[in-house]
Amino acid sequence: MTQPADLPDAAALLARADECRTPCGDGAMVWRLWGSGRPLVLLHGGSGSWNHWLRNIEPLAATGRRLFVPDLPGFGDSACPASGNDADAVVEPVLDGLRALLGTAPVDVLAFSFGSLVAALAAAAHPQRIARLVIAGAPVKPLVPPPFKLRPWLHVQDEAQRRAIHRHNLAALMLARPESVTEQTVDLHAQNLLRDRMRERRLSRTDAMARALERLECPLDVIYGREDALYRGRWGEVEAQLRALTRLRSLHFVDGAGHWVQYEEPAAFHAAVAQALG
C-alpha cells in the first residue's frame, strides 16, 4: 500500500491537452487528448468527469499512448444525450465521437464504474469498435439493494454541512482509507456532482452489464480495489461470474483501495493496466 502524491494541477494538465468537440444532443461532447502513440480511450464513472483520471493521465500517456478522455454525455462540460438518462443513452454519442476523431478502427478502452457499463454495452452492440476492454470498479452484479448508504446533499444550503456530507459519501462509496478523503478530493468530487445531469441512473441495479459481458468478442481484463464498497464481502460470487466469461483474460485486485481504485492506489492500478494492455 502506498500513499499517493498530491493531486496534479488540473488547470495545468488541461492547458497541456488538445480539446475536441463532437456532436451530442443539443450541444457537444467535450474530449481532452494527451500524449502520442496508439489511442487509449478513458471513460470516467458516474457523477464524474475527465478528472476521475487526474492521477492517471500523465503516467498512462508516458507509456506511449494517445489518450482520448471525454466528459461523458450529461457530465462535466458535455451536453446531455438526445434522449435517456443512463448508460444506454450514452453509447451512441461516444461511438459517434470516436468515429469522428479516430475513424472506424477498433480502439482500446479503459473504463471506470459507470463508464465500464457504457463500454460493455458499446462493445456488445458494436464489437468491431472495441479492440480490448479493461474495466475497473464495474457493476457486474445488480446493486440491489445498494450495499452502501449515501446521504442526500442537494437540499443542504450550508457549505460546511455539504462538505461534511461529501466526505461521508466519499468514504462510504468511493475510497477505502480515511486519509484518502482529503480536502482536495472533496473539492474535486463536489465540483463534479454539481455538473451531473444524469442522476436518475438505474441500469446498475439490473443485470445489463452481466448480459453485455457475456456477448463480448474482445479480450476483457478486470480490476477492482479489494475494499470496493460495491462488492466487499461478495468477491467469491463476483469472481465466479467473471471467471465464467469466455473473453476474460485477467482479474486483478488492488489491495488497500476502494471503488475509485485508480485514484486511491494509482501505482498499483497502473501496473495492472500495463499487464492488461501489454
Side-chain angles (χ1 to χ4, degrees), residues 62-82:
T63 65
R65 287 286 190 151
R66 177 68 161 166
L67 304 182
F68 290 74
V69 191
D71 284 353
L72 290 172
F75 302 95
D77 293 330
S78 291
C80 290

Side-chain angles (χ1 to χ4, degrees), residues 29-44:
M29 184 173 172
V30 178
W31 302 72
R32 277 93 179 191
L33 284 59
W34 287 270
S36 61
R38 183 176 175 181
L40 176 62
V41 179
L42 308 185
L43 302 182
H44 65 75

Side-chain angles (χ1 to χ4, degrees), residues 54-135:
L54 193 57
R55 283 188 165 129
N56 317 109
I57 287 168
E58 291 177 310
L60 290 173
T63 65
R65 287 286 190 151
R66 177 68 161 166
L67 304 182
F68 290 74
V69 191
D71 284 353
L72 290 172
F75 302 95
D77 293 330
S78 291
C80 290
S83 62
N85 60 359
D86 214 322
D88 52 352
V90 172
V91 169
E92 291 304 324
V94 170
L95 291 178
D96 288 347
L98 287 173
R99 186 179 301 110
L101 296 172
L102 289 168
T104 58
V107 296
D108 296 341
V109 176
L110 172 59
F112 168 55
S113 195
F114 173 82
S116 68
L117 177 53
V118 174
L121 294 172
H126 304 274
Q128 73 282 6
R129 303 303 310 281
I130 310 296
R132 291 189 287 186
L133 178 58
V134 183
I135 55 176

Side-chain angles (χ1 to χ4, degrees), residues 5-237:
D6 289 341
L7 286 180
D9 185 315
L13 197 56
L14 283 176
R16 294 193 294 272
D18 296 322
E19 185 174 302
C20 300
R21 295 172 181 262
T22 57
C24 178
D26 293 332
M29 184 173 172
V30 178
W31 302 72
R32 277 93 179 191
L33 284 59
W34 287 270
S36 61
R38 183 176 175 181
L40 176 62
V41 179
L42 308 185
L43 302 182
H44 65 75
S47 297
S49 70
W50 72 273
N51 61 33
H52 267 176
W53 304 101
L54 193 57
R55 283 188 165 129
N56 317 109
I57 287 168
E58 291 177 310
L60 290 173
T63 65
R65 287 286 190 151
R66 177 68 161 166
L67 304 182
F68 290 74
V69 191
D71 284 353
L72 290 172
F75 302 95
D77 293 330
S78 291
C80 290
S83 62
N85 60 359
D86 214 322
D88 52 352
V90 172
V91 169
E92 291 304 324
V94 170
L95 291 178
D96 288 347
L98 287 173
R99 186 179 301 110
L101 296 172
L102 289 168
T104 58
V107 296
D108 296 341
V109 176
L110 172 59
F112 168 55
S113 195
F114 173 82
S116 68
L117 177 53
V118 174
L121 294 172
H126 304 274
Q128 73 282 6
R129 303 303 310 281
I130 310 296
R132 291 189 287 186
L133 178 58
V134 183
I135 55 176
V140 297
K141 298 187 75 65
L143 300 177
V144 179
F148 42 81
K149 181 68 172 177
L150 300 181
R151 295 175 182 170
W153 60 272
L154 270 173
H155 67 289
V156 177
Q157 299 301 312
D158 182 79
E159 179 63 18
Q161 291 181 19
R162 270 197 177 193
R163 291 182 68 82
I165 292 170
H166 293 328
R167 280 192 290 271
H168 171 272
N169 290 346
L170 281 165
L173 169 58
M174 298 292 278
L175 299 164
R177 304 195 302 273
E179 61 269 25
S180 299
V181 187
T182 65
E183 291 305 306
Q184 289 175 299
T185 306
V186 173
D187 290 341
L188 195 73
H189 184 61
Q191 293 163 12
N192 283 336
L193 286 172
L194 290 172
R195 299 189 297 166
D196 177 1
R197 287 140 287 147
M198 302 276 281
R199 294 194 178 102
E200 300 303 316
R201 304 183 296 275
R202 294 289 183 269
L203 280 179
S204 64
R205 302 181 187 181
T206 74
D207 64 350
M209 183 153 197
R211 289 186 284 108
L213 292 176
E214 290 170 355
R215 296 164 54 199
L216 286 187
E217 297 183 16
C218 65
L220 171 69
D221 295 88
V222 182
I223 303 170
Y224 283 103
R226 178 68 73 176
E227 303 304 321
D228 193 328
L230 294 190
Y231 301 117
R232 187 187 296 121
R234 300 175 61 194
W235 291 126
E237 57 185 287

